[in-house]
């Protein structure tokens, strides 16, 4: 029984750590232990580790750790790609080793041995497509076409030159410091892919997220059906009720069935929990990026808009405050007025409430179907793109 509780605690701790690491910055977790655990995992633990290395082994060892960090985080490297392949390979291996001997079973046919391998293979193909496809590199040879394809909105994008590439910087592009190149319709640099996500490979990235979400759901359901089939084939409920005198009700049977499952099929249960957690996380990521694509926005532009709106809001509030202060000073300099009652002053509207509301004006959002078409068939892949020439100055 102690082993069963150990497995349950292991699953809960794993779930908490995964959610804290990936979702700890979400607004819903602000001020909660999840946010503090996220900060410790992402910043605090590494900071304490650096201090420990410096204290025990000296400054040279600490410098070595920092150089490894720069190599892994600030330069293109395949570390996370290898980790992805190890995760998907190890997960499939343990599923095959622990569960394939029960296929065919009561609920699953033998075809699932082959469909599961095909599904994993498609997932790896999508991973390779996203990792090694061109994200939409802006070069001197195609910069004029990109300048016409993505006009400046003069809000978050204005005409400027890339200080590194020394070429005009098209709207919606960004110079990736890790890949050292300008990328059209830049979304973000994905460490798992060791590649930027941009105009040309966003479709592959979305397909990767969706397919792996469905793959995890498929694996979890298949494992659940295998366990349910074993429960049926071994007549566990019948044995418990007839030979052990357990009542034939859910409340009476559930503890005994759960104990049997945890003792006989703990590997399958842990794999199910892992697949369900990963599928939920992938569903969240896919939903976020799908919503960005439907509004023709990128992750990079989301942060740009947040900064712009925050700056404009502070600017408007400063103007309103200055106008209110000027009016107050002019009122004091004029002839004395009848003092305002405390009740009226309490309910008086704040001048800051009259500040102009800053709205997001996305010039690139051209409707649901057009936005999706632009993601599925990027502008630079169309024949008209290469035929477009910049207008003579």
């Amino acid at each position: 029984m102690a082993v069963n509780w150990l497995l349950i605690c292991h699953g809960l701790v794993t779930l908490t750590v995964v959610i804290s690491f990936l979702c700890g910055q979400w607004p819903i977790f602000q001020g909660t232990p999840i946010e503090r655990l996220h900060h410790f995992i992402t910043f605090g633990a590494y900071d304490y580790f650096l201090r420990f290395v410096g204290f025990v082994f000296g400054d040279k060892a600490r410098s070595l750790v920092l150089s490894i960090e720069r190599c892994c985080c600030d330069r293109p490297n395949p570390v996370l790609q290898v980790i992805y392949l190890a995760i998907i390979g190890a997960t499939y291996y343990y599923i095959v080793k622990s569960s394939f001997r029960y296929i065919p079973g009561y609920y699953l046919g033998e075809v699932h041995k082959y469909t599961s391998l095909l599904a994993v293979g498609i997932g790896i193909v999508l991973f390779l497509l996203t990792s090694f496809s061109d994200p939409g590199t802006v070069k001197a040879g195609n910069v004029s076409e990109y300048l016409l394809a993505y006009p400046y909105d003069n809000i978050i994008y204005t005409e400027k030159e890339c200080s590194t590439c020394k070429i005009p910087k098209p709207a919606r592009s960004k110079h990736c410091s890790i890949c050292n190149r300008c990328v059209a319709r830049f979304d973000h640099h994905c460490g798992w892919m060791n590649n930027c996500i941009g105009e040309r490979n966003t479709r592959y990235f979305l397909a990767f997220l969706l397919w792996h979400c469905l793959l995890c759901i498929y694996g979890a359901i298949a494992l659940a059906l295998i366990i349910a089939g074993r429960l049926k084939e071994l007549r566990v409920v019948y044995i418990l009720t007839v030979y052990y005198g357990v009542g034939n009700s859910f409340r009476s049977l559930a503890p005994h069935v759960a104990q049997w499952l945890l003792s006989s099929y703990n590997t399958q249960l842990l794999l199910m929990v892992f697949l369900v957690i990963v599928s939920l996380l992938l569903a969240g990521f896919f939903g976020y990026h799908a919503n960005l694509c439907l509004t023709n926005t990128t992750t990079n532009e989301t942060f740009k808009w947040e900064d712009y709106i925050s700056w404009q809001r502070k600017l408007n509030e400063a103007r309103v405050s200055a106008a209110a202060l000027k009016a107050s000073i002019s009122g004091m300099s004029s002839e004395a007025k009848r003092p305002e009652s405390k009740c009226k002053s309490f309910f008086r509207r704040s001048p800051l409430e009259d500040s102009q509301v800053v709205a997001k004006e996305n010039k690139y959002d051209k409707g649901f179907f057009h936005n999706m078409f632009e993601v599925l068939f990027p502008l630079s892949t169309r024949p008209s793109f290469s035929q477009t020439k910049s207008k003579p100055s």
Side-chain angles (χ1 to χ4, degrees):
M1 195 65 181
V3 176
N4 298 339
W5 278 109
L6 183 63
L7 290 172
I8 293 173
C9 293
H10 176 270
L12 291 174
V13 169
T14 303
L15 176 63
T16 304
V17 171
V18 170
I19 291 177
S20 300
F21 176 68
L22 296 174
C23 313
Q25 286 184 310
W26 291 7
I28 193 174
F29 294 118
Q30 284 185 357
T32 66
I34 297 292
E35 183 188 31
R36 290 191 286 272
L37 184 58
H38 170 83
H39 184 270
F40 175 77
I41 294 172
T42 53
F43 298 104
Y46 182 65
D47 184 55
Y48 285 122
F49 173 72
L50 284 178
R51 293 180 185 180
F52 172 79
V53 170
F55 179 77
V56 176
F57 301 103
D59 292 336
K60 288 186 177 180
R62 187 174 182 274
S63 300
L64 178 62
V65 173
L66 289 173
S67 64
I68 295 173
E69 177 204 351
R70 283 191 292 271
C71 179
C72 293
C73 300
D74 299 334
R75 296 290 182 271
N77 67 85
V79 173
L80 289 179
Q81 289 176 301
V82 173
I83 292 175
Y84 159 79
L85 293 173
I87 290 173
I88 195 169
T91 303
Y92 187 70
Y93 168 77
Y94 281 110
I95 289 176
V96 170
K97 185 179 179 181
S98 65
S99 305
F100 268 34
R101 62 177 177 266
Y102 304 124
I103 300 175
Y106 193 87
Y107 294 111
L108 286 181
E110 192 169 4
V111 68
H112 289 279
K113 287 184 177 180
Y114 309 106
T115 55
S116 61
L117 180 60
L118 177 64
V120 171
I122 293 174
I124 293 176
V125 168
L126 290 172
F127 168 76
L128 295 175
L129 273 174
T130 312
S131 297
F132 297 103
S133 60
D134 178 19
T137 305
V138 181
K139 298 173 287 189
N142 62 10
V143 65
S144 59
E145 286 84 353
Y146 274 119
L147 287 170
L148 290 178
Y150 295 108
Y152 299 106
D153 62 357
N154 293 318
I155 302 176
I156 59 174
Y157 293 112
T158 55
E159 187 174 352
K160 62 176 66 174
E161 182 184 84
C162 176
S163 58
T164 306
C165 299
K166 303 301 180 183
I167 59 174
K169 194 173 183 180
R172 315 195 74 183
S173 67
K174 182 180 178 181
H175 185 90
C176 178
S177 59
I178 298 175
C179 296
N180 194 29
R181 60 183 172 182
C182 282
V183 177
R185 199 183 179 277
F186 179 88
D187 190 274
H188 69 287
H189 181 89
C190 181
W192 291 100
M193 305 296 172
N194 194 27
N195 196 10
C196 291
I197 306 301
E199 185 228 8
R200 294 176 70 98
N201 65 351
T202 298
R203 49 185 174 170
Y204 301 138
F205 181 68
L206 283 174
F208 170 85
L209 291 177
L210 178 60
W211 185 262
H212 280 71
C213 177
L214 297 176
L215 180 62
C216 290
I217 294 172
Y218 171 53
I221 293 174
L223 288 171
L225 291 176
I226 287 172
I227 294 174
R230 295 299 294 165
L231 191 70
K232 193 79 173 178
E233 290 167 351
L234 298 176
R235 305 177 69 187
V236 175
V237 174
Y238 175 79
I239 293 172
L240 287 173
T241 53
V242 174
Y243 292 97
Y244 291 92
V246 178
N248 192 13
S249 65
F250 178 79
R251 179 175 293 183
S252 302
L253 287 169
H256 299 280
V257 173
Q259 184 177 358
W260 174 76
L261 290 174
L262 287 170
S263 60
S264 303
Y265 298 97
N266 50 68
T267 302
Q268 288 86 345
L269 290 174
L270 285 175
L271 286 169
M272 279 179 57
V273 171
F274 172 73
L275 291 173
V276 168
I277 293 172
V278 175
S279 67
L280 292 174
L281 295 173
L282 288 172
F285 285 131
F286 173 76
Y288 172 75
H289 283 283
N291 180 64
L292 290 179
C293 291
L294 293 178
T295 56
N296 211 337
T297 312
T298 64
T299 304
N300 179 52
E301 289 170 353
T302 300
F303 292 118
K304 282 181 172 290
W305 276 113
E306 287 178 358
D307 293 340
Y308 173 78
I309 291 174
S310 175
W311 175 68
Q312 285 292 325
R313 186 182 294 116
K314 291 177 181 178
L315 190 62
N316 289 340
E317 289 176 356
R319 289 170 179 168
V320 172
S321 298
L325 180 62
K326 184 178 180 180
S328 176
I329 293 173
S330 63
M332 291 174 60
S333 60
S334 61
E335 58 182 26
K337 295 183 180 180
R338 181 179 171 181
E340 189 177 40
S341 66
K342 292 183 178 180
C343 181
K344 188 175 180 181
S345 63
F346 179 80
F347 289 103
R348 185 176 58 193
R349 184 180 177 89
S350 171
L352 293 179
E353 295 180 22
D354 296 327
S355 60
Q356 186 180 2
V357 177
V358 182
K360 176 181 175 180
E361 299 177 6
N362 186 7
K363 180 179 181 178
Y364 310 107
D365 185 0
K366 299 179 181 178
F368 175 87
F369 292 105
H370 186 280
N371 295 340
M372 284 305 302
F373 190 78
E374 185 176 319
V375 171
L376 297 176
F377 304 98
L379 298 177
S380 62
T381 62
R382 304 176 193 176
S384 57
F385 181 84
S386 58
Q387 297 170 3
T388 304
K389 301 295 179 183
S390 60
K391 296 179 181 179
S393 56

